[in-house]
Amino acid sequence: MVRYRHALLASVLLALPAPVVSQQPYNDWAKAYAAAEDLVGTWTRDQVANVSVYGGTAPGHVPFTAKDGPMGVNGGRGVSGWIAAQTLAASWDPELVEKQYGAMAREFRSKGYSMQLGPVTGPMGRSALGGRNFESFGSDPYLGGKLFGTAVRGIQNQSVIACGKHFIANEQETNRTTVGWGQDTDGTDRSSSNLDDRTFHELYIWPWVDGVVNGLGSVMCVMNRVNGTGGCENDYTLNQVLKKEVGFKGIVIPDATAPINRTAALAHGLDWNSGLDASAITALMDSGAVPEEVMRQHAIRIVATQLNHNLPQEQYPDPATVVNRNVREAESAPLTRAAAGQSIVLLKNTDQTLPLKNVTSISVFGLDAAQGVTGPAMVPNVFDYQGDTYAGHLASGGGSGATPMPYLVDPLTALTERAASGRGFEVRHIASDNYTVLPTGGPNIGGGPPDSVSGYASDSQYCMVFLNALAKEGVDRLALADETEDRLVNDVARYCANTIVVMNNAGIRLVEAWIEHPNVTAVLNAGALGQESGHAITDVLFGDVNPSGKLVYTIAKRVEDYNGEICPCCDCDYTEGLYTDYRHFDQAGIEPRFEFGYGLSYTNFTFGSLAISKKPSDNEPLAAYASGPTVDGGPAALFDELVTLTATVTNTGPVAGAAVAQLYLEFPESAKSPVQQLRGFRKVLLEPGQTQTVAFELQRRDVSIWDTVAQKWKVEAGTYTARLGGSSRDVAAEVEFELSTTGV
């Protein structure tokens, strides 16, 4: 079988002109399209049809090889266990994101895959209960877009096509599809995401623009419907917006079971793998149901995308021959450990409990502290609800977006390693969420503490309680906290004056049941940290890493404080519009427990005043609407830099640390926009006493709203207020500037 595959490959490549092969990847869409048009122009109708079929070949064309998932080679052996995107996003570090996804893509390439089904920018976190929020880069379109675009660049720089998921408005698992594999229905039993045009553009399309700007090669259309029409046969979303308005040049491929009406899908923007075979597609061309020119355009897109981003396909190994090959690089462990450490958010640190100093004894509590009965990877499951928590250390979410874990360092193991080093310290543990609190037997004849939560806790210098929150594909979450875990925290804190809580959560985890307990002196929001999870956590606990993570969502006081509910079958009206996450909390005047962008450090930072170093002249009003030819991302003028603001950041504390300077923008009242929106961030590493100037360049896009009447991006004339600080509610400086416009 393998010999046949390579013989076929060689024969097909003979038909491909040598210059075409040698130039790959082109990294130039215009040249790639010109070559693709020349090649496809030589094909018959049957050959054109065959190229749009999974695994289909044609003279001079060998199909790409695609593989899930967004967190690594799904189910792969000899690959790395990467950090979940939502967790990595808390680093607010594009360079770190690019490194992880570049290294990840090299593993895909070494395993024979020329397309990675990832990264993810949908769901956007409309609902805090969304089952797959952990797969994407947080709940803000600006931050998510910058990191999504960076991930795309990291992948495609390794000659692997990035396939962005899931386009578009895929915000819940409930009734995303109720179709069995390979079946077909009229789609009315699938959830329809019903949203207005402005919300569609300013929230949900926004991060996809960043992907396209960075050369995104592929987009995966969704199982759910969008405004009543199936996501893979939606002419408006796929053709009118994605391909024409945004200028996407790559290919659209379907999520599993996504095409409802396969003919409509091919006619309305789906380029590849409709589920129909080549003879059926040729028959559609014969009947005129799908015009031949449409199918030729699909073929051109497929070929051009491969020419632009891939090496010649024969330079990727046959996946079947490398299943057991270890392709992890030597840098995998240190990279994941360092990235995980930078992604941990310090939520509370009373009286500088952390970093730990002069440790003599630690007691560890909770199932999350140690590995589960089976592991290290979760059992793959994309259908069933498996609980609000995971019975072991959680380092990944579940489903097709799960991390392929080759090994897992849990916190108890990492603490034990430290305890065994030098003179060390004593570590005791109760790896249970529901252990007896008070001793039931007589005194411990060995002289140690009674075998109970109270016994261990009262006899320890420090206590650590490890909690988790599970989320996965196929189902949405039922709760944002767990009573058993919360009770454990309070039981430990009742007897231990220094109780440290560490949360490994695939999504938002509420803390209200214990956050104000005086003996809960430190809290880490650690997320899903991948293979080096335990090491990264202990690096922060002991001060080897100064935490610099910032929340990429809002932690509320009550679940009722969130909007964006999970909708039952089958119409889901996005009545909240633009007001999701912190936008909602700001607009509704709700005080969060921890706001978007929040995170503490072991040092302190101050921000200087904001200064405007560049803005359009008041004597030369801007054109109100973005114009120019459509480039990657939209009208060319949309990416003109209009305003530059600068400020200083100073480390006023005792140790080196990284500050994340965040810029929020308030639009003129006439724009009817949210109270403020993130429009810039800079992460800077500073030594004690060091000052650095940061600059924020605002593009026309950043100061525009979507005009639903004109169907264009518009700059609203008036006063804009820029705010600088360490979170969405920590304002250290602000400045106003005026933008004047002409009517066109």
Side-chain angles (χ1 to χ4, degrees):
M1 183 68 179
V2 172
R3 288 195 299 272
Y4 170 79
R5 176 185 182 274
H6 284 287
L8 174 64
L9 188 64
S11 65
V12 172
L13 286 168
L14 288 174
L16 190 63
V20 172
V21 175
S22 63
Q23 290 173 19
Q24 285 185 247
Y26 279 54
N27 295 313
D28 183 319
W29 279 116
K31 291 181 179 178
Y33 261 83
E37 289 167 357
D38 288 345
L39 180 62
V40 175
T42 67
W43 291 347
T44 66
R45 289 153 59 88
D46 290 343
Q47 291 166 343
V48 166
N50 200 46
V51 165
S52 74
V53 174
Y54 184 94
T57 63
H61 171 76
V62 179
F64 55 82
T65 45
K67 178 71 172 177
D68 257 331
M71 298 304 133
V73 181
N74 195 282
R77 294 181 176 180
V79 295
S80 301
W82 303 101
I83 302 145
Q86 186 185 60
T87 301
L88 185 63
S91 72
W92 291 59
D93 189 336
E95 183 178 346
L96 196 61
V97 170
E98 185 167 4
K99 284 182 180 178
Q100 166 162 307
Y101 282 87
M104 188 189 301
R106 289 194 293 275
E107 293 186 348
F108 273 84
R109 191 180 67 203
S110 297
K111 284 291 186 178
Y113 300 110
S114 51
M115 177 186 286
Q116 176 180 347
L117 301 183
V120 173
T121 190
M124 283 271 298
R126 170 184 179 265
S127 172
L129 293 167
R132 299 181 79 174
N133 291 348
F134 73 92
E135 293 186 28
S136 61
F137 296 97
S139 61
D140 181 77
Y142 181 91
L143 173 66
K146 293 299 183 187
L147 300 184
F148 175 67
T150 299
V152 167
R153 185 170 66 245
I155 292 168
Q156 295 187 162
N157 280 347
Q158 306 305 319
S159 301
V160 175
I161 299 167
C163 177
K165 298 162 63 172
H166 304 86
F167 188 86
I168 193 170
N170 177 192
E171 294 296 317
Q172 64 180 56
E173 293 300 284
T174 302
N175 294 319
R176 175 177 63 137
T177 179
T178 54
V179 181
W181 301 107
Q183 297 176 2
D184 200 0
T185 72
D186 63 2
T188 56
D189 51 357
R190 303 186 186 197
S191 174
S192 176
S193 299
N194 303 326
L195 65 168
D196 66 87
D197 194 29
R198 184 173 175 187
T199 299
F200 179 78
H201 279 82
E202 292 186 29
L203 281 189
Y204 295 98
I205 284 292
W206 187 283
W208 291 96
V209 170
D210 290 285
V212 174
V213 166
N214 283 278
L216 179 63
S218 178
V219 162
M220 180 181 286
C221 53
V222 293
M223 297 181 188
N224 58 277
R225 295 176 294 150
V226 182
N227 288 334
T229 302
C232 285
E233 56 218 51
N234 197 310
D235 180 70
Y236 176 71
T237 61
L238 297 180
N239 283 333
Q240 304 308 316
V241 176
L242 180 65
K243 292 183 177 180
K244 293 181 181 178
E245 180 187 309
V246 178
F248 172 65
K249 296 182 177 66
I251 59 173
V252 175
I253 73 171
D255 201 347
T257 80
I260 301 168
N261 182 322
R262 293 170 171 82
T263 301
L266 286 172
H268 295 151
L270 180 65
D271 294 298
W272 178 80
N273 194 23
S274 66
L276 297 173
D277 62 24
S279 61
I281 295 172
T282 299
L284 290 175
M285 287 191 281
D286 291 340
S287 70
V290 179
E292 179 180 344
E293 180 56 30
V294 170
M295 291 308 306
R296 286 196 176 273
Q297 285 302 313
H298 293 329
I300 289 168
R301 282 181 174 270
I302 292 165
V303 174
T305 299
Q306 288 184 256
L307 291 176
N308 200 49
H309 292 308
N310 284 159
L311 298 165
Q313 188 63 34
E314 81 275 10
Q315 295 186 25
Y316 301 82
D318 181 348
T321 67
V322 292
V323 170
N324 295 313
R325 181 180 297 173
N326 187 340
V327 299
R328 290 203 307 273
E329 299 174 345
E331 295 77 17
S332 165
L335 173 58
T336 52
R337 181 171 181 168
Q342 292 190 48
S343 303
I344 293 172
V345 182
L346 178 62
L347 296 179
K348 183 178 181 180
N349 195 23
T350 303
D351 296 330
Q352 297 180 325
T353 297
L354 300 179
L356 297 174
K357 301 171 283 289
N358 303 316
V359 179
T360 59
S361 64
I362 297 174
S363 284
V364 177
F365 302 86
L367 280 169
D368 185 64
Q371 295 202 41
V373 175
T374 63
M378 295 181 181
V379 176
N381 184 304
V382 298
F383 297 109
D384 304 318
Y385 175 71
Q386 295 183 307
D388 298 321
T389 61
Y390 178 65
H393 184 61
L394 187 144
S396 170
S400 64
T403 295
M405 211 75 68
Y407 67 89
L408 175 59
V409 180
D410 60 72
L412 184 57
T413 297
L415 285 166
T416 302
E417 289 175 1
R418 286 185 179 257
S421 176
R423 297 184 65 181
F425 49 87
E426 184 176 82
V427 176
R428 294 188 290 259
H429 71 272
I430 297 177
S432 169
D433 292 342
N434 199 23
Y435 204 71
T436 180
V437 177
L438 298 173
T440 56
N444 190 327
I445 59 174
D451 185 23
S452 63
V453 170
S454 62
Y456 278 37
S458 60
D459 192 51
S460 294
Q461 180 188 13
Y462 295 101
C463 297
M464 296 182 184
V465 185
F466 288 84
L467 316 178
N468 68 47
L470 175 63
K472 62 179 291 294
E473 181 180 7
V475 293
D476 294 304
R477 299 170 65 188
L478 299 183
L480 299 182
D482 179 73
E483 290 183 7
T484 301
E485 289 184 336
D486 287 343
R487 185 169 56 248
L488 175 63
V489 174
N490 284 314
D491 286 341
V492 172
R494 186 177 302 122
Y495 298 98
C496 184
N498 278 307
T499 298
I500 300 162
V501 180
V502 179
M503 302 188 298
N504 292 108
N505 41 320
I508 295 170
R509 209 288 187 188
L510 300 188
V511 299
E512 214 57 26
W514 41 261
I515 191 64
E516 292 186 351
H517 196 298
N519 287 347
V520 175
T521 55
V523 180
L524 299 182
N525 192 81
L529 296 170
Q531 64 190 19
E532 288 288 321
S533 181
H535 283 150
I537 290 168
T538 54
D539 287 344
V540 169
L541 290 172
F542 286 85
D544 299 339
V545 170
N546 186 349
S548 59
K550 301 286 186 177
L551 291 176
V552 296
Y553 46 69
T554 299
I555 298 179
K557 293 182 177 180
R558 309 178 307 149
V559 67
E560 294 82 8
D561 290 342
Y562 295 104
N563 60 356
E565 75 283 359
I566 298 295
C567 303
C569 188
C570 286
D571 281 295
C572 192
D573 298 330
Y574 286 25
T575 55
E576 71 283 350
L578 299 171
Y579 298 96
T580 59
D581 200 75
Y582 71 89
R583 294 168 165 81
H584 159 64
F585 282 79
D586 289 347
Q587 185 259 353
I590 300 173
E591 186 69 23
R593 172 53 65 181
F594 296 110
E595 70 270 19
F596 177 89
Y598 175 88
L600 301 175
S601 171
Y602 295 155
T603 191
N604 302 302
F605 302 100
T606 60
F607 298 94
S609 58
L610 268 173
I612 300 172
S613 60
K614 171 187 174 183
K615 71 175 287 291
S617 170
D618 294 334
N619 298 322
E620 298 178 9
L622 295 166
Y625 295 101
S627 60
T630 298
V631 297
D632 293 347
L638 203 58
F639 306 100
D640 292 343
E641 292 184 0
L642 301 184
V643 180
T644 301
L645 302 106
T646 60
T648 58
V649 186
T650 302
N651 182 348
T652 59
V655 295
V660 179
Q662 302 168 38
L663 185 79
Y664 295 85
L665 195 63
E666 178 184 342
F667 282 59
E669 186 176 352
S670 59
K672 298 180 181 178
S673 292
V675 174
Q676 59 180 357
Q677 301 176 78
L678 183 70
R679 284 297 184 262
F681 63 94
R682 295 289 183 270
K683 188 168 188 175
V684 290
L685 179 63
L686 301 171
E687 295 296 323
Q690 184 181 0
T691 297
Q692 185 169 325
T693 299
V694 292
F696 304 94
E697 296 84 14
L698 299 181
Q699 296 178 337
R700 170 185 278 271
R701 178 185 178 210
D702 299 322
V703 295
S704 293
I705 63 172
W706 180 254
D707 187 323
T708 59
V709 176
Q711 289 291 290
K712 295 179 180 179
W713 289 100
K714 178 186 180 183
V715 174
E716 192 74 14
T719 302
Y720 291 75
T721 303
R723 300 187 180 97
L724 176 69
S727 76
S728 63
R729 296 206 171 191
D730 173 29
V731 180
E734 66 177 52
V735 66
E736 294 182 349
F737 59 89
E738 296 281 335
L739 292 178
S740 56
T741 65
T742 62
V744 292

